[in-house]
């Protein structure tokens, strides 16, 4: 159930998200504004502990720490997911997962049944669907609690309490959320499309240099590298074709891109008629998405051509 809750409605990225959500670990220290279980809901002026895709978090159970968020693009908008977990002393294994969907409402609700009890409540003036899922999995601490509601016309929020976190924890987390209307949704379809175009241009090595290097971070500094690449193996340059398989956003200006590059020619690690697959970074520079220089130069180096510096 937990995997379904996390991934429903996120097209093309199931292979990346399955198993774990964290892309980068956050600080291991306890959040300064965290409060013990059962305390009153935070006031509107409470300081933020974290912010996820335009949603501010002002309350966590005592001892909870944040794990790095995952943001993914889909045809319907963008989905951001972040885990908050209890430390080993105060709330071992307890976990709250916050999900923010921009765009179409996600299809993650479970129908009422033998193991699913559905009820309703109101939090911050929003009508909230409450699901209690009994005996879903021993690995998840038995009973799970899910809250789902529309924060606005285009923002939908869900909270999952698992591994022993309580319904009261989920409700108090929800009560302390703050919507920042001025924060744009990150990782939407337009961002993904721009990243795909940047990769297509960056690896079209037989195209004009301005097209190729304009799609790479610090591209102008790599002009000699591109010239050497064309001189060293014109066959690779002529036949290289890049395919972007999935884009996963870590924040508003960084993303991880799963790709493959097919070509005819010989590199230091692959024979004629081969393909290279892996992940590279994308970075937003001056409002435009570009292929991150480090990953780009690492791949180019396979041809025997080094980037400067």
């Amino acid at each position: 159930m937990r995997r379904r809750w996390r991934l429903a409605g996120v097209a093309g990225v199931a292979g990346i998200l399955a198993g774990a959500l964290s892309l980068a670990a956050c600080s291991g220290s306890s959040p300064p504004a965290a409060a013990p279980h059962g305390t009153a809901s935070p006031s509107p002026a409470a300081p933020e502990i974290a912010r996820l895709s335009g949603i501010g978090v002002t309350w966590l159970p005592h001892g909870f720490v944040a794990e790095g968020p995952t943001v993914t693009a889909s045809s319907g908008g963008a989905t951001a997911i972040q885990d908050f977990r209890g430390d080993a002393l105060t709330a071992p294994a307890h976990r709250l997962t916050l999900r923010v969907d921009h765009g179409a409402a996600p299809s993650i609700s479970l129908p009422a049944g033998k193991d699913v009890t559905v009820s309703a409540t109101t939090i911050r003036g929003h009508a909230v669907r409450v699901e209690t899922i009994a005996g879903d999995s021993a690995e998840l601490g038995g009973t799970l609690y899910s809250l789902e509601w529309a924060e606005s016309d285009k923002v939908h929020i869900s909270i999952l309490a698992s591994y022993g976190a309580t319904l009261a924890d989920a409700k108090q987390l929800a009560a302390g959320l703050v919507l920042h209307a001025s924060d744009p949704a990150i990782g939407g379809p337009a961002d993904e499309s721009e990243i795909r175009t940047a990769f297509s241009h960056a690896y079209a090595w037989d195209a004009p240099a301005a097209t190729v290097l304009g799609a790479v971070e610090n591209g102008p500094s790599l002009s000699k590298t591109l010239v050497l690449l064309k001189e060293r193996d014109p066959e690779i340059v002529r036949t290289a074709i890049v395919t972007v398989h999935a884009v996963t956003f870590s924040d508003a200006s960084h993303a991880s891109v799963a790709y493959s590059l097919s070509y005819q020619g010989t590199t230091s690690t692959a024979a004629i008629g081969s393909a290279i697959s892996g992940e590279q970074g994308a970075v937003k520079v001056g409002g435009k998405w570009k292929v991150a220089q480090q990953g780009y130069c690492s791949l180019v180096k396979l041809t025997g051509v080094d980037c400067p510096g």
Side-chain angles (χ1 to χ4, degrees):
M1 180 270 169
R2 182 177 174 85
R3 187 174 184 273
R4 171 202 61 78
W5 189 90
R6 288 181 170 189
L7 302 183
V10 184
V13 296
I16 294 178
L17 288 181
L21 290 176
S22 298
L23 294 181
C26 294
S27 170
S29 60
S30 299
H37 290 265
T39 57
S41 297
S43 68
E48 288 188 7
I49 300 167
R51 185 179 293 190
L52 178 69
S53 193
I55 301 296
V57 176
T58 66
W59 181 89
L60 287 173
H62 178 66
F64 271 51
V65 295
E67 295 182 345
T70 295
V71 184
T72 60
S74 70
S75 58
T79 296
I81 301 174
Q82 183 158 22
D83 278 341
F84 302 98
R85 57 178 174 79
D87 64 26
L89 296 178
T90 59
H94 294 189
R95 190 173 298 262
L96 291 168
T97 303
L98 173 64
R99 170 174 172 150
V100 180
D101 288 277
H102 292 269
S107 300
I108 61 175
S109 298
L110 289 173
K114 178 182 178 181
D115 296 323
V116 180
T117 302
V118 177
S119 59
T121 189
T122 301
I123 298 177
R124 293 185 291 104
H126 300 292
V128 177
R129 175 187 173 94
V130 181
E131 295 178 2
T132 302
I133 305 97
D136 181 79
S137 172
E139 294 180 357
L140 302 180
T143 302
L144 309 180
Y145 303 97
S146 173
L147 306 182
E148 303 167 20
W149 71 95
E151 185 73 18
S152 69
D153 290 344
K154 296 183 179 180
V155 179
H156 298 81
I157 299 179
S158 309
I159 294 174
L160 183 68
S162 60
Y163 294 98
T166 67
L167 178 58
D169 292 333
K171 287 182 176 180
Q172 196 156 342
L173 172 59
L177 297 181
V178 179
L179 172 64
H180 296 274
S182 61
D183 286 5
I186 59 176
D191 293 286
E192 180 176 2
S193 176
E194 189 174 337
I195 289 173
R196 289 178 179 273
T197 298
F199 269 72
S200 175
H201 288 172
Y203 290 103
W205 286 325
D206 60 342
T211 299
V212 177
L213 300 180
V216 182
E217 179 188 18
N218 300 319
S221 67
L222 306 179
S223 57
K224 291 184 178 179
T225 300
L226 183 60
V227 170
L228 290 174
L229 176 63
K230 291 182 176 182
E231 292 176 350
R232 181 180 181 88
D233 201 325
E235 186 67 7
I236 287 181
V237 169
R238 185 183 66 82
T239 61
I241 298 175
V242 69
T243 300
V244 172
H245 301 291
V247 178
T248 303
F249 295 88
S250 53
D251 56 41
S253 57
H254 297 85
S256 178
V257 181
Y259 77 98
S260 59
L261 182 74
S262 61
Y263 57 89
Q264 297 291 323
T266 304
T267 70
S268 62
T269 61
I272 293 174
S274 295
I276 298 173
S277 297
E279 289 193 8
Q280 280 193 32
V283 60
K284 204 168 191 177
V285 180
K288 295 184 178 180
W289 283 102
K290 297 178 182 289
V291 178
Q293 180 181 353
Q294 181 177 0
Y296 188 76
C297 287
S298 295
L299 192 149
V300 169
K301 189 174 182 178
L302 297 178
T303 69
V305 177
D306 289 322
C307 290

